[in-house]
Amino acid sequence: MTNTEIVDRLELTGRLMELHDHDAFKIRAFSSAAFSLDKSTADLASLPVEELVKLPGVGKSVAQKIRELVETGHLTELDNLLAETPEGVLEMFRIKGLGAKKIRTLWRELGIDNLRDLQLAGENGQIAKIKGFGASTQEKILNSLTFLQEQKGKIRMDRAAMLANVLHDELTRAFNRVDISGQVRRKAQEVDTIQLLLETSDPVGAQRYLNSLPMLTQNERESSPFAWRGHMEGSDVGIELLMFPADQIDRQLFIQTAAEPHLQQVGSASVSLLQAALTLSNVSEERIYERAGLPYIVPEMREDEFAFRWAGRHQNDELVTWDDLRGTLHNHSTWSDGKQSIADMAAYCRELGLTYFGIADHSKTASYANGLDIDRVQAQHREIDRLNAQFGDNFLIFKGIESDILGDGSLDYDDATLATFDYVVASVHQTLTMTLEKATTRLLRAIENPYTTILGHPTGRLLLARAGYPIDHRAVIDACAEHNVVIEINASPYRLDIDWRWIDYAMERGVMLSINPDAHDLAGLLDMHYGVAVGRKGGLTKAMTFNALTLTEMKAYLQNRKNQLLAG
């Protein structure tokens, strides 16, 4: 059992205890343990009670519960709570702004035990009449419900890629050729169908084999003789397995990867890409574009006509790749809410072949994330100086901060403190419910601050969980161009923010983009792969990728900004 699974079960136990109005001390014990253990790098499943109680936030009772969970796969207390809780009530925890107490009120006072009844109560104005709720809370609940309905049946690109690879590895045992296609190959940030192509001359036998796999459940109504459709164990995302003979696979890989608007593009040969793909005898993806009279487009960009407008100004070999990245600038350590030390994070960056590591722990207002007050900032800088003294000229740790953008758009420290950092990532973390005008004005003021180097995750969205606040993207990008501020592509698959659709406009305005993992542990550094994927999808070039600058170039860039501040 992984740490994440243990922490999730403890957190759920605490929530359900609060829902059922259990003893406050026990609720706090589970919640505090979950919060503390979420940052732990210890292998919780391997620790006995005597070692678990030495960890922050873990008492003997919770330690015994962890052992029960690891040894049996169950937690009796949690099982009992789940048995007492309708499934629809559990789903209410997905609604932003609804905690256990409010859910208990809705359940006990209005008898609401499912999302459909919750929506009806909101539409009828019943929620607003409950003490402690009001019209504003009711509106937020309805908006959250609408968002969740729109996201139903979708998964993030990281989970989609993982499931697609599991399927690929399983199916290659039985089929000569298996190709991942569709949304996963196109690097869609949200996926509703995982599609693979199978080479077979015996579709009946192939269907029989697929239905013999325990991990797959067929939807017979949606399937056909040449298409198996259904679901994979543990996920409600659609699975589509298309069967073709060997001479059709290359053709279909192109057709199934590209979105419909892309397939309908007509080139100088007066035929569409789809027509070219269907009529060529000796098929390759390059020849399909050549037959249509169009420039070749990489799989990530095969969405619509945008790729061809981009190709009129760029070449495919200009697109950023993982190998182009020279460093990483938005990362967290145990100084705030990260799981690894600065030294360990930097060492792993060196293993990855990177030449600089930027620490950007949370600022003082982010108390929930153990944000750094001024004294701790100074102490962290002394640690970084000690670590840098151990490196030669080929690696450097930069002193950064993720400074909260406060409600009025100001940053989270005075100018004297901000001046001590090599760079500042300015991000919004609190008060996320804003109008477009308020959110945009808040960001514009932060961008105008001369200490802002990078604008972090501009909309604050969490894919499939939170839509993010609305902003005027053009105004924000124009302001970044005016004030020489870099925009982050937050590479966490939970965010992928700024959205890839705005990358080209940023480049047009001369704004560089930084592929930032927002890493809280070693594995999080690898999230830059997802940032590269959506960067390429939006046409991001190496030349406009901030962290593709070499160490020498990055040092010079940051020093020049400091010099300009001093001169100003």
Side-chain angles (χ1 to χ4, degrees), residues 27-28 34 46 53 67 69 77 91 106 126 160 228 276 307 326 328 341 344 358 371 391 427 439-440 505 513 530 561:
I27 295 169
R28 191 159 52 250
S46 68
V53 295
R67 291 312 312 161
L69 188 55
E77 203 151 5
E91 290 182 340
L106 292 166
Q126 292 175 275
W228 185 102
R326 295 290 175 261
T328 172
S341 67
D344 288 344
F391 304 131
S427 307
T440 302
Y505 182 71
L513 296 113
Y530 304 117
R561 280 187 61 93

Side-chain angles (χ1 to χ4, degrees), residues 179-181 185 197 249-257:
D179 285 289
I180 297 171
S181 56
R185 186 172 182 233
L197 309 187
I249 286 282
D250 288 330
R251 183 193 318 278
Q252 290 298 327
L253 181 59
F254 171 77
I255 293 172
Q256 301 301 331
T257 293

Side-chain angles (χ1 to χ4, degrees), residues 335 341-343 378-388:
W335 280 88
S341 67
I342 294 176
Q378 293 170 349
Q380 185 185 75
H381 287 181
R382 289 194 292 272
E383 178 181 320
I384 292 171
D385 287 338
R386 287 194 299 271
L387 290 169
N388 277 334

Side-chain angles (χ1 to χ4, degrees), residues 473-493:
H473 279 83
R474 288 184 181 274
V476 167
I477 292 169
D478 289 347
C480 287
E482 179 182 353
H483 297 281
N484 193 28
V485 170
V486 177
I487 294 179
E488 171 177 274
I489 299 176
N490 190 293
S492 166

